Structure formats: structure tokens, C-alpha cells
Amino acid sequence: MKKLIVILHNIRSTYNVGAILRTCDCLGIDEVVFSGYTPFIDKGLPYEREKLKKQIHKTALGAEETLKWHRAEDIFTEIEAQKTKGLKIVALEQGENSLNLADGQDFIEDMALVLGEEVHGVPNDILEKCDYLLEIPMCGTKESFNVSVATGIALFALRKNELSGSRKFLRTQI
């Protein structure tokens, strides 16, 4: 499998963080990076960390304990570090030159997928550091999905070829 990491930058909701972590676990993401003010259990006083842990666990269902992760104090330093490791930096964001995930391209390179804040998305200064943008086409009147839903769609599209024919059963079949 290609290396695929997810960078959560300024995600506000602990429930979105938890849902994204669960999706990352399900799709075999190599690592999750927390950036900006994205909440996680690594900051704050003990009672604050316990509150965050409980909220994130509600949607992560334990994925917060099984995934490899770290916090990046500076997203630009993190982006450069990932580029040095040979990863393409890709943002999930609508833009003039973004690639449509529905077009069926095969993404074979190692990559870091940057996800941005729920309302405003990925800031322009970060987009400028990206190798390219990925976009999910919209058919209705809304311009975007919830960040955790968009993450699931994008990660599945990026992993789909690697998942074909390799289904693992975690439960006993009925």
C-alpha cells in the first residue's frame, strides 16, 4: 500500500475529529497529524484532556488509541518535512485547478492529505504549499460536505484500488 497520512488543520469539532480518526483506522491510514487548534488528548490540564478524550471517543470508538499520530506545532514545517520524505502534499479543497475525485484517476504516489476547518476550509497560504488539490463534485445546492464525510469519500477514493479484492472480515460471519 502507498503511504497515506492525514493532516487535520484547525478542525474545531471533537466529534469531527473522532469520526475522521475512525475512518482513518478503517482505511489503513499510516498516521494522523494534528495541527493548529485541532483538539486532541495531548494538550490541556488533566480534566480538559479527559473531557476531550470522552468527546473524541464517542465517534472514534477506540481509533484514537490505535492510530499512529503526532502534533505539528507549525504546519509549514510539517509540510516541508513530509515533502522531504517524498510525500505529495494534497489538500481536499475546491479550486480552479483541483482534480475531480470522480474522474477516476489512480493516485499511486505517497501523500499527505490536508483537511481544513469546517467552515473556511484550508487557508490559502497552506494551499500554496500543496502539490495539488482534490475536489469532490457537488450535485445539490450545498457547496461542501461535512469535513468528516468529505474525508471518508476522499480517503476511500484514494485507497479504492488497494482495497479491491482484499476484504478482511473482522467479525464472525452469520
Side-chain angles (χ1 to χ4, degrees):
M1 264 200 228
K2 67 179 170 268
K3 183 168 183 147
L4 185 54
I5 71 165
V6 171
I7 300 174
L8 304 178
H9 183 70
N10 289 346
I11 305 293
R12 294 177 302 171
S13 166
T14 54
Y15 302 114
N16 281 335
V17 170
I20 291 168
L21 292 176
R22 185 171 170 188
T23 298
C24 287
D25 179 78
C26 288
L27 292 172
I29 301 310
D30 295 285
E31 186 172 10
V32 177
V33 178
F34 298 94
S35 172
Y37 54 73
T38 302
F40 198 57
I41 58 175
D42 61 328
K43 288 202 168 193
L45 297 170
Y47 75 91
E48 293 170 322
R49 289 194 306 269
E50 191 59 37
K51 179 181 176 185
L52 289 173
K53 183 176 181 178
K54 186 175 182 179
Q55 289 175 348
I56 289 169
H57 180 77
K58 186 171 186 170
T59 51
L61 296 179
E64 72 279 13
E65 297 172 7
T66 60
L67 284 165
K68 182 178 175 186
W69 63 272
H70 75 271
R71 179 167 296 278
E73 294 304 322
D74 179 75
I75 188 149
F76 298 103
T77 302
E78 182 67 24
I79 287 171
E80 288 307 313
Q82 296 301 335
K83 282 186 177 189
T84 300
K85 295 176 188 175
L87 277 71
K88 294 287 184 187
I89 308 302
V90 180
L92 185 58
E93 190 64 70
Q94 297 168 334
E96 187 176 323
N97 296 315
S98 58
L99 301 176
N100 184 333
L101 277 172
D103 286 346
Q105 307 93 305
D106 287 334
F107 297 96
I108 57 171
E109 61 268 327
D110 294 341
M111 69 174 61
L113 180 65
V114 180
L115 304 166
E117 191 257 320
E118 289 91 337
V119 175
H120 302 292
V122 180
N124 286 334
D125 55 349
I126 295 172
L127 294 177
E128 292 170 2
K129 301 293 183 185
C130 293
D131 295 300
Y132 55 92
L133 309 180
L134 295 177
E135 147 175 4
I136 301 167
M138 301 288 124
C139 301
T141 59
K142 297 300 173 192
E143 294 181 0
S144 65
F145 287 101
N146 170 279
V147 67
S148 66
V149 172
T151 301
I153 293 168
L155 291 178
F156 182 80
L158 294 173
R159 278 280 197 238
K160 69 182 176 192
N161 292 337
E162 297 166 277
L163 298 171
S164 179
S166 64
R167 187 168 181 193
K168 295 179 183 178
F169 294 94
L170 298 178
R171 298 183 198 189
T172 304
Q173 294 210 355
I174 299 173

